[in-house]
């Protein structure tokens, strides 16, 4: 029997996978996808908690998160496209003009 | 058919929206939308002339409305410290109104710097989509155009900043965080000169900002799981009735803290700050260094005083550690900097540490001290970055310290004003920086955080070294042959620098009125 608490555990696992991906991947697009994975893990957690508490708040919040994530994609892809066009590279290691 | 449905459907009560109390926010967002309409319908030559009254009018009007709401506040229902507006989403209380007023005034000064157009068309890219070094870019530069979208983007960011410290539930706070962050990511990438640096700053800011807001959000999920609500007061109630510890509660506090501390740029979440402050157009850096910091500290204060006010003994040790490494880390790395904007960025990290000592105090005095410090520091740093925009070399701003050598001999006035700002940042008496530090450190001592204050004093002493080095460089060394020139600013930047310097001086000599205002506001505390 799968309980809502198991979904919370799954959400935590997905969140950690996304977080590790952000830290070890080089391609800015993949890094961004890992961040999206983290946001979706949060959505899963909200919905599981909403089920646990028997309320609807968590489900509504998941919609808020989706809308904000969509807005973030628009801004993020605009920035990543601009930087790819000027550098011909989407690697976060190549962007190294600003340091120390 | 429709009649039957109307009978069957339960009556949904219309929500009551307190428009009067929300009017400052609504005006700023309204001005931002008006700016979008200007961008959509006005011909290009007219746009700047239309944007300026909208932006200045919106921000000045919002400040007037904030003052009006604060003056009318004694009639908050039933002697409560404040009111909850918009069906529980937005808190209207005196500390929030103080912070909002501060943000509006600082944004007004920042927009003056943003609007500067005398020495170049503007500080912003002619066409952000044109590849740097391409013929498209040369054409757009030759056409003498620039992105006027910066005005509505700035207003949207300021609107988010006003909502961020006023949010009474964590979902509103998350939305406000994104509303303030998304325009800033874009603004960071819009510099007219050194566009590769600017784009890199935007990418770093965006990726790290999105990463941190994921932590913030997971923290909200944990607290929702713990308390069954995202309302700050409900979380506080659930936390005070909590006897069995609770993984959800503590992981929620930690993750939420990560998201908030990232925004204020506390060590170890400071990595973005020097890069973004250096790469972003300097007027945008001024906006971020003053308004974003004030807004983020407002949110930190609200979350930790309202939602976790009963758990002071649990979060204080962690906040102590963060404050200590932030104060020391920021000041030590500042010593090695060779770029003015980067130096100010590391100094801003150290200032965030001093402000955190006010948060650690967890008392009305700490709240008042932090609010006063935010206003004082904001005016100083906007003025300092406005001066940075004036020192121009061949390829735009000459931010490298070597080109500032001998500036005092060529332009004594500009160098003198900048030296005054640096002295204020170092916290020398008779400047606002001293009074601000004094206010937070005094609150921290009475809150039992004397070791923190000792670390703060050591950090201030370390931080004074790079400032003094810049002053010595400006006044006691020979100017290089083809050094930068100080451009003659129009009234916009002149006003911004003068206001910054005047506020820095006045708050240092007669801090009483503003301090009393902050204490009166803080005495009412946040509404829960």
């Amino acid at each position: 029997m799968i309980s809502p608490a198991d979904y919370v555990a799954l959400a935590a696992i997905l969140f950690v996978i996304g977080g590790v991906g952000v830290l070890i991947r080089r391609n800015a697009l993949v890094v961004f996808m890992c961040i999206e994975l983290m946001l979706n893990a949060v959505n899963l957690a909200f919905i599981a908690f909403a089920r646990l508490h028997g309320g609807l708040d968590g489900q509504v919040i998941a919609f808020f998160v989706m809308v904000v994530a969509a807005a973030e994609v628009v801004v993020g892809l605009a920035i990543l496209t601009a930087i790819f066009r000027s550098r011909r590279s989407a690697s976060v290691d190549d962007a190294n003009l600003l340091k120390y | 058919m429709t009649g039957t449905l109307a009978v069957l459907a339960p009556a949904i009560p219309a929500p009551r929206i307190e428009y009067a109390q929300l009017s400052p926010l609504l005006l700023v967002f309204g001005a931002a939308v008006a700016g979008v309409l200007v961008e959509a319908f006005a011909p290009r030559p007219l746009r700047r002339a239309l944007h300026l009254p909208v932006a200045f009018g919106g921000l000045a009007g919002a400040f007037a409305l904030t003052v009006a709401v604060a003056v009318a506040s004694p009639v908050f229902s039933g002697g409560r410290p404040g009111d909850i507006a918009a069906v529980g989403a937005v808190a209207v209380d005196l500390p929030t109104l103080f912070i909002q007023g501060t943000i509006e005034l600082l944004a007004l000064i920042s927009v003056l710097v943003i609007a500067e157009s005398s020495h170049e068309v503007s500080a912003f890219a002619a066409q952000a989509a044109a590849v740097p070094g391409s013929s498209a870019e040369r054409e757009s530069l030759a056409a003498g155009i620039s992105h006027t979208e910066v005005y509505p983007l700035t207003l949207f960011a300021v609107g988010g900043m006003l909502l961020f410290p006023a949010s009474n539930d964590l979902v509103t706070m998350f939305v406000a965080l994104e509303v303030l962050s998304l325009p800033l990511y874009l603004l960071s990438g819009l510099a007219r000169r050194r566009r590769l640096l600017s784009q890199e700053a935007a990418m770093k800011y965006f990726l790290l900002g999105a990463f941190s807001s994921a932590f913030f959000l997971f923290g909200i999920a944990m607290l929702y799981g713990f308390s069954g609500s995202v309302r700050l007061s409900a979380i506080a109630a659930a936390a005070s009735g909590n006897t069995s510890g609770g993984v959800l509660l503590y992981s929620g506090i930690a993750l939420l803290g990560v998201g908030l501390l990232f925004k204020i740029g506390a060590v170890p979440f400071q990595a973005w700050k020097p890069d973004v402050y250096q790469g972003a157009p300097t007027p945008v850096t001024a906006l971020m260094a003053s308004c974003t910091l004030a807004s983020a500290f407002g949110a930190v204060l609200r979350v930790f005083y309202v939602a976790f006010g009963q758990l002071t003994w649990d979060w204080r040790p962690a906040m102590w550690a963060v404050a200590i490494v932030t104060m020391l880390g920021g000041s030590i790395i500042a010593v090695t900097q060779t770029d003015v904007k980067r130096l100010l960025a590391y100094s801003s990290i150290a200032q965030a540490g001093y402000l955190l000592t006010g948060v650690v105090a967890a008392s009305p005095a700490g709240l008042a001290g932090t609010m006063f410090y935010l206003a004082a520091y904001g005016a100083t740093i906007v003025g300092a970055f406005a001066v940075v925009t004036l020192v121009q070399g061949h390829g735009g701003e000459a931010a490298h310290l070597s080109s500032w050598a001998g500036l005092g001999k060529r332009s004594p006035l500009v160098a003198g004003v900048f030296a005054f700002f640096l002295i204020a940042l170092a916290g020398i008496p008779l400047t606002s920086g001293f009074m601000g530090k004094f206010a937070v450190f005094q609150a921290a001592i009475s809150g039992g955080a004397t070791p923190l204050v000792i670390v703060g004093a050591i950090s201030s002493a370390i931080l004074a070294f790079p400032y003094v080095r810049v002053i010595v460089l400006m006044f006691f060394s020979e100017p290089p042959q083809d050094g930068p020139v100080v451009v003659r600013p129009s009234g916009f930047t002149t006003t911004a620098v003068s206001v910054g310097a005047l506020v820095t001086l006045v708050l240092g000599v007669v801090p009483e009125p503003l301090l009393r205002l902050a204490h009166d506001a803080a005495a009412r505390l946040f509404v829960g």
Side-chain angles (χ1 to χ4, degrees):
Chain A
M1 182 63 192
I2 300 175
S3 73
D6 296 335
Y7 284 100
V8 177
L10 175 64
I13 292 168
L14 285 174
F15 188 82
V16 171
I17 292 174
V20 171
V22 171
L23 297 177
I24 64 170
R25 295 306 292 257
R26 298 276 162 84
N27 188 304
L29 271 178
V30 179
V31 170
F32 188 34
M33 282 161 65
C34 290
I35 293 172
E36 291 295 312
L37 179 62
M38 295 168 80
L39 292 181
N40 282 316
V42 173
N43 276 345
L44 186 60
F46 269 122
I47 292 164
F49 282 131
R51 176 83 180 173
L52 272 171
H53 288 296
L56 284 175
D57 293 10
Q59 300 186 23
V60 176
I61 295 168
F63 280 107
F64 273 90
V65 175
M66 275 192 258
V67 170
V68 170
E72 209 167 55
V73 169
V74 174
V75 170
L77 286 186
I79 293 170
L80 296 184
T81 314
I83 210 161
F84 179 76
R85 274 154 50 93
S86 48
R87 289 173 180 273
R88 293 277 136 212
S89 153
S91 167
V92 288
D93 285 355
D94 288 347
N96 58 1
L97 296 172
L98 293 164
K99 51 185 173 185
Y100 310 125
Chain B
M1 188 63 194
T2 46
T4 337
L5 277 178
V7 170
L8 289 177
I12 299 175
R16 203 168 73 81
I17 306 289
E18 294 80 352
Y19 290 103
Q21 295 182 2
L22 298 174
S23 54
L25 273 170
L26 295 175
L27 184 64
V28 171
F29 281 122
V33 172
V36 172
L37 292 177
V38 167
E39 208 51 52
F41 295 112
R44 194 184 285 280
L46 273 182
R47 282 184 200 160
R48 184 168 177 276
L50 287 171
H51 276 307
L52 290 181
V54 170
F56 288 124
L59 289 171
F63 178 71
L65 287 172
T66 307
V67 172
V69 174
V71 169
S73 65
V75 295
F76 279 140
S77 48
R80 281 154 50 84
D83 246 347
I84 311 271
V87 205
V90 180
V92 183
D93 49 31
L94 287 177
T96 308
L97 290 169
F98 185 95
I99 291 169
Q100 286 183 335
T102 307
I103 294 171
E104 282 148 2
L105 286 184
L106 293 175
L108 209 53
I109 311 176
S110 306
V111 172
L112 283 172
V113 189
I114 288 173
E116 175 64 58
S117 67
S118 64
H119 42 272
E120 215 168 2
V121 174
S122 85
F124 299 95
Q127 206 173 8
V131 177
S134 68
S135 57
E137 191 198 32
R138 277 191 295 279
E139 277 169 28
S140 59
L141 280 173
I145 53 175
S146 86
H147 269 293
T148 44
E149 281 93 344
V150 291
Y151 299 101
L153 283 174
T154 305
L155 286 173
F156 275 121
V158 173
M161 290 172 199
L162 295 180
L163 182 58
F164 196 35
S167 318
N168 193 44
D169 70 51
L170 289 172
V171 174
T172 311
M173 195 173 268
F174 169 67
V175 173
L177 171 69
E178 294 296 321
V179 170
L180 88 86
S181 299
L182 294 181
L184 286 179
Y185 300 150
L186 289 174
L187 287 170
S188 306
L190 285 180
R192 194 173 188 89
R193 305 294 191 100
R194 301 210 181 88
R195 291 189 48 208
L196 283 179
L197 287 185
S198 180
Q199 289 181 348
E200 182 179 322
M203 184 178 85
K204 286 179 170 171
Y205 195 14
F206 168 70
L207 287 178
L208 291 173
F211 190 44
S212 81
S213 59
F215 281 95
F216 185 80
L217 204 52
F218 204 69
I220 299 177
M222 293 293 117
L223 291 171
Y224 173 65
F226 168 74
S227 67
S229 169
V230 287
R231 194 68 61 84
L232 293 179
S233 51
I235 292 169
S240 64
N242 172 41
T243 47
S244 57
V247 181
L248 287 179
L249 175 62
Y250 293 115
S251 59
I253 297 176
L255 290 165
L256 201 67
V258 169
L260 288 169
L261 291 174
F262 172 88
K263 268 291 154 218
I264 65 173
V267 180
F269 316 107
Q270 91 296 4
W272 63 277
K273 215 170 187 179
D275 287 358
V276 174
Y277 278 25
Q278 186 189 356
T282 310
V284 174
T285 311
L287 180 78
M288 287 193 287
S290 55
C291 301
T292 310
L293 193 75
S295 170
F297 262 101
V300 166
L301 288 165
R302 174 173 292 285
V303 165
F304 283 95
Y305 282 27
V306 176
F308 309 138
Q310 310 282 329
L311 304 169
T312 318
W313 291 105
D314 295 307
W315 57 259
R316 260 179 125 185
M319 207 60 109
W320 267 63
V322 170
I324 288 173
V325 291
T326 306
M327 288 189 284
L328 289 180
S331 55
I332 290 172
I333 307 176
V335 173
T336 64
Q337 294 309 310
T338 54
D339 184 286
V340 171
K341 285 168 82 178
R342 237 178 146 70
L343 169 63
L344 290 176
Y346 278 109
S347 118
S348 156
I349 293 171
Q351 309 282 348
Y354 307 144
L355 281 156
L356 277 178
T357 60
V359 177
V360 167
S363 64
L367 182 58
T370 312
M371 293 193 305
F372 176 83
Y373 198 153
L374 284 171
Y377 171 70
T380 309
I381 197 76
V382 171
F385 276 115
V387 173
V388 173
T389 63
L390 297 180
V391 184
Q392 299 264 342
H394 294 300
E397 282 162 22
H400 199 274
L401 275 180
S402 61
S403 52
W404 283 59
L407 200 72
K409 296 188 174 158
R410 293 183 181 185
S411 319
L413 183 63
V414 168
V417 172
F418 194 69
F420 177 61
F421 285 134
L422 290 179
I423 287 171
L425 290 176
I428 309 289
L430 287 185
T431 62
S432 63
F434 174 76
M435 291 316 301
K437 263 188 202 141
F438 187 74
V440 287
F441 285 172
Q442 196 184 28
I445 288 175
S446 57
T450 313
L452 267 190
V453 175
I454 294 170
V455 175
I458 295 171
S459 156
S460 307
I462 300 172
L463 199 54
F465 172 70
Y467 295 148
V468 171
R469 203 183 51 180
V470 174
I471 296 173
V472 169
L473 190 71
M474 284 194 301
F475 287 98
F476 300 107
S477 59
E478 284 306 310
Q481 280 304 316
D482 55 344
V485 289
V486 173
V487 295
R488 211 171 176 66
S490 71
F492 287 120
T493 309
T494 316
T495 312
V497 174
S498 324
V499 170
L502 199 68
V503 171
T504 307
L505 182 67
V506 168
L507 288 186
V509 181
V510 269
E512 266 311 303
L514 190 69
L515 263 179
R516 189 169 313 125
L517 193 66
H519 274 284
D520 287 350
R524 309 284 290 274
L525 272 175
F526 287 114
V527 61

